Amino acid sequence: MNAGAQLERRSSVRRSQSMVQEEDRGQPPDEELMSRSQGSSTEPSGGALRTGGAVPDKDSATPKPRLAEQSAGPSEMDLMKEKFAKLLLGEDMSGSGKGVPSALALSNAVTNLAASVFGEQRKLEPMAPDRKGRWKREVGWLLSVADHIVEFVAKKQVLDNGTEMEVMGTQQRRDLQANIPALRKLDTMLLDYLDNFKERNEFWYVKRDSCSESENEERSDEKWWIPIVKVPPGGLSKTSRGWLLHQKELVNQVLKAAMAINANCLMEMSIPDTYIDTLPKNGRASLGDALYRIITDVEFDPDDFLSTVDLTSEHKILDLKDRIEASVIIWNRKVHNKDGKSSWGSAVSQEKREQFEERAQTLLLIIKHRFPGIPQSTLDIAKIQENRDVGFALLESYSRVLESLAFNVMSRIEDVIQADNLAREKAKKNAPPAADPAAGRRGPQEAGGDDDDQSKTTLLDFMGWTGDSEGKNDDASPPPPPELPAQDDGRLMKLPNIMTNLKQTYMDKLDFLSGNRSPSGRH
C-alpha cells in the first residue's frame, strides 16, 4: 500500500507540473490531458516524452531569423574579413608562409576584381546595378590601404604656454595623395560615360549566330566574343554620329590620363636584378643589326623606323617593344657605368649612347600611344612581380584596370562607327544613279543653251565688281569669268581695261611707298 501511494503521489506531481508548463505555454491543460490519456495506452511514458519534446519546439522557433540571415548570404563585414584575410595570407590558404608579398597580393586582388566585374562589359550600355555596387564597394576596401601609407613631415605645434615648436608628424604619401583621388575621378567619369548610352536606340547588338556569313566576314574575327553591332540601313543620323564621336573623345582623354599615371608609376619602380641578368651584352644584340643601323643613323625619323618594321600582329608589336626597352636599359647602364665594365676601348661614346637612348625612348612613347591595348612588356611584368612597395602596387593596378576599361569602351564605340561606315557605303552602292541636274534643267531647249549661258551675265560682271575691295585679286579668289563677246555696248568693251588700270595703279602706289622708304629715294 505504501508503494502504491508513493506511485500515485509521483503521478499527481507529474500531472501538476505538466499542467503548469502547459499554462506557461498558453495551451489549455484539458487538451494536454486528453491527448496524454489517448496516447497512454500505446506509449507507456508518452506524457513525459511529449512534454520533453514540446520544449525543443519552442527553442527551435527562435533561431529562424538566423537561418533566414544565412540564406540571404554573407554580410559586407564577412566579405571584407575574407578579402583582407586572403591578402594577409598572401594568397596562400594553407598558412605555410609560401604566399606572395603583400604588394603583389594587393595588385592581383585589384586585377581579379576588375576582371570579374568588367569582363561582362561587351556592349555600350550602363553597368548592371549589382556589378557597379560591387565594384565601388570592394575597390573602396582595397584602396583603404592607401590611407595608412604615410610619410613623416615637419609640422608646427603650439604649446599651452604659447611656445611654437616644430615636430615631425605623419601624412599620406604625396604620390598617393595626388593620384588616388584623380583615379577615383577617372573611374566615376568612365561609369558616367557608360550611363550615357542608356537611351541610345539608334544601334543595337545581335549575336553572331543570327547574322549572315557576309556580315560576319565584314567584322574582324579577332573579336569573336563581341556581339555584332547593327545600325539602320542608311546609317546613324548626323546628330547621333557627332555625339558618338564626342563620347569617344571624352573616353580618349580618360585613357590618356590613366596611361600617364601608369607609365609614371612603372618608371618609379626599380628594375629587378632578375631582369637585368637576362639582358644581352650590348644594344646591337638586343635590337638586331637592321634595327640598330636605323636607330644609330645620322638622320633618324621615328615614323620611317616604324614604317620599316612589321607591326601587323600584337605579338610582333610586343616583341619590338621588349627589344627596344632592353636596349634602353643597356645604354642607360653603360652611360652611368652601372654594368661594372670600363668604357675604355668602346666604339660608341657616352654622348652617342645618350642620343640612342633618347631615340629609343621616343619610339617606346610612340608605340604605347599608337597601340594602347597591347599587353604588358617583359620589363613591366618583372617590375610588378618583384615590387615590394604597396603604394606603387595600388597605383599601378588601379590605373591599369581603368586604362583597360577605357580602351574597351573606345573599341566598342569604334565598332559602332565602323558599322555606320559600312551601312553608309552599302546605301550608296544600292542607291539609283542620280540624274544630271544641268540636263534636267535644260530639257528640250538644248539648242538654245548658248543663249542661256550668255544671258546669265550678272550685274556684278557687267560693272566689273568681283567682290574684292580696292581691286585685290587673292590667290584664294575664284578665277575671273571668261571675256564676254564684243557687242555694240561700249561699256562691255572697256571692262578689261578698267580692271587692268586699277591693278596697275595699285601696284604703282606700292612701288611709290616702298621707294620713299628706301634710302636711295628712287621711285
Side-chain angles (χ1 to χ4, degrees):
M1 292 294 292
N2 293 333
Q6 289 179 358
L7 290 173
E8 289 181 359
R9 272 195 219 96
R10 290 177 181 175
S11 61
S12 62
V13 169
R14 289 175 181 175
R15 284 197 298 272
S16 61
Q17 290 177 354
S18 63
M19 292 173 64
V20 170
Q21 290 176 359
E22 292 300 323
E23 287 177 358
D24 294 338
R25 288 187 301 173
Q27 184 178 358
D30 295 337
E31 296 179 4
E32 178 65 17
L33 290 175
M34 290 175 63
S35 62
R36 188 175 299 162
S37 62
Q38 292 175 0
S40 60
S41 59
T42 57
E43 297 180 4
S45 58
L49 290 175
R50 293 190 181 188
T51 304
V55 177
D57 293 338
K58 179 181 178 182
D59 296 338
S60 62
T62 54
K64 286 183 179 179
R66 296 180 181 177
L67 293 176
E69 183 179 353
Q70 292 178 359
S71 62
S75 61
E76 291 188 5
M77 184 62 69
D78 296 335
L79 290 175
M80 186 172 63
K81 288 180 180 179
E82 180 183 0
K83 181 79 65 178
F84 282 97
K86 292 180 179 179
L87 291 178
L88 291 174
L89 289 172
E91 301 177 357
D92 179 23
M93 301 301 111
S94 65
S96 58
K98 298 180 180 179
V100 299
S102 301
L104 183 57
L106 193 60
S107 177
N108 292 339
V110 176
T111 305
N112 296 333
L113 175 62
S116 61
V117 172
F118 299 130
E120 302 177 4
Q121 196 69 31
R122 301 176 182 177
K123 303 178 182 179
L124 286 177
E125 60 182 5
M127 289 183 61
D130 55 344
R131 290 194 291 120
K132 183 188 292 187
R134 180 193 171 195
W135 167 254
K136 290 185 176 181
R137 180 177 63 253
E138 296 192 15
V139 81
W141 295 346
L142 298 175
L143 292 179
S144 63
V145 179
D147 298 336
H148 305 281
I149 301 176
V150 296
E151 61 182 357
F152 286 101
V153 293
K155 295 183 178 180
K156 293 183 180 180
Q157 183 177 1
V158 181
L159 302 179
D160 297 337
N161 56 2
T163 304
E164 182 177 328
M165 60 184 305
E166 192 176 73
V167 297
M168 297 300 293
T170 59
Q171 70 174 13
Q172 190 180 16
R173 214 167 71 183
R174 294 182 182 178
D175 57 342
L176 301 176
Q177 191 176 3
N179 293 323
I180 291 293
L183 292 174
R184 295 298 295 265
K185 181 64 176 177
L186 296 177
D187 188 358
T188 305
M189 291 170 64
L190 275 177
L191 298 182
D192 292 342
Y193 294 156
L194 287 175
D195 292 338
N196 293 338
F197 292 94
K198 182 178 182 180
E199 299 178 354
R200 291 288 164 175
N201 300 324
E202 291 198 27
F203 60 90
W204 61 95
Y205 293 88
V206 295
K207 296 182 179 179
R208 290 184 176 267
D209 299 337
S210 60
C211 296
S212 60
E213 295 181 359
S214 60
E215 291 179 348
N216 287 332
E217 290 177 358
E218 290 177 354
R219 273 73 177 180
S220 60
D221 295 334
E222 298 178 356
K223 303 177 183 178
W224 55 267
W225 66 93
I226 302 297
I228 294 181
V229 185
K230 285 286 188 178
V231 296
L236 300 175
S237 62
K238 185 177 180 181
T239 305
S240 180
R241 184 180 177 88
W243 180 85
L244 202 63
L245 293 175
H246 178 64
Q247 295 297 314
K248 179 184 176 182
E249 182 62 27
L250 293 178
V251 177
N252 189 25
Q253 297 298 326
V254 176
L255 175 63
K256 290 180 179 179
M259 287 175 58
I261 295 176
N262 185 264
N264 188 30
C265 184
L266 286 173
M267 185 179 62
E268 293 293 332
M269 291 183 183
S270 59
I271 303 173
D273 296 335
T274 56
Y275 176 80
I276 295 177
D277 295 339
T278 60
L279 294 178
K281 295 181 179 180
N282 49 43
R284 182 188 291 270
S286 175
L287 290 172
D289 293 337
L291 298 181
Y292 180 80
R293 193 179 303 110
I294 297 175
I295 289 182
T296 58
D297 193 6
V298 178
E299 296 181 358
F300 172 74
D301 189 358
D303 294 332
D304 294 342
F305 174 84
L306 295 177
S307 63
T308 57
V309 182
D310 186 7
L311 302 176
T312 55
S313 65
E314 186 178 90
H315 175 72
K316 294 179 180 178
I317 298 172
L318 189 60
D319 180 66
L320 176 63
K321 185 179 178 182
D322 288 338
R323 288 191 288 170
I324 294 177
E325 283 183 343
S327 62
V328 168
I329 295 175
I330 292 171
W331 287 328
N332 189 10
R333 290 178 62 83
K334 287 189 175 182
V335 167
H336 298 88
N337 294 327
K338 291 183 179 180
D339 54 354
K341 298 179 181 179
S342 175
S343 60
W344 291 98
S346 178
V348 182
S349 63
Q350 299 290 342
E351 292 78 8
K352 286 290 185 179
R353 286 200 180 101
E354 292 179 356
Q355 183 182 11
F356 299 160
E357 181 185 354
E358 291 178 359
R359 292 178 177 180
Q361 291 283 7
T362 305
L363 289 174
L364 288 176
L365 186 62
I366 294 175
I367 291 174
K368 188 164 187 178
H369 282 273
R370 187 175 296 182
F371 308 99
I374 60 174
Q376 293 171 327
S377 62
T378 306
L379 176 60
D380 296 341
I381 295 175
K383 285 184 175 182
I384 294 172
Q385 291 180 348
E386 300 295 334
N387 175 47
R388 297 296 180 268
D389 193 317
V390 179
F392 285 160
L394 271 177
L395 289 179
E396 191 279 329
S397 58
Y398 194 25
S399 60
R400 174 163 39 85
V401 298
L402 291 182
E403 177 184 342
S404 177
L405 176 60
F407 178 76
N408 290 336
V409 174
M410 280 192 61
S411 299
R412 303 293 86 79
I413 295 177
E414 289 175 355
D415 292 343
V416 179
I417 296 175
Q418 181 182 3
D420 179 48
N421 294 333
L422 293 175
R424 290 174 182 270
E425 293 178 0
K426 191 174 182 181
K428 288 181 180 180
K429 291 180 180 178
N430 298 334
D436 189 5
R441 189 168 56 248
R442 295 169 67 177
Q445 301 177 355
E446 293 181 359
D450 297 336
D451 297 337
D452 294 338
D453 294 338
Q454 293 178 4
S455 62
K456 293 177 183 177
T457 305
T458 60
L459 181 61
L460 293 177
D461 297 333
F462 179 77
M463 297 298 295
W465 296 346
T466 59
D468 192 6
S469 61
E470 297 182 4
K472 296 178 182 179
N473 188 10
D474 297 333
D475 295 336
S477 61
E483 185 178 355
L484 297 176
Q487 296 182 7
D488 296 336
D489 193 350
R491 289 174 296 179
L492 292 179
M493 298 299 294
K494 293 181 180 179
L495 179 60
N497 296 330
I498 294 173
M499 296 297 296
T500 305
N501 293 334
L502 287 176
K503 290 182 180 178
Q504 290 177 357
T505 305
Y506 183 70
M507 295 301 298
D508 292 338
K509 289 182 179 180
L510 292 179
D511 294 337
F512 176 76
L513 293 175
S514 62
N516 288 337
R517 293 192 183 97
S518 62
S520 60
R522 290 179 297 177
H523 295 260

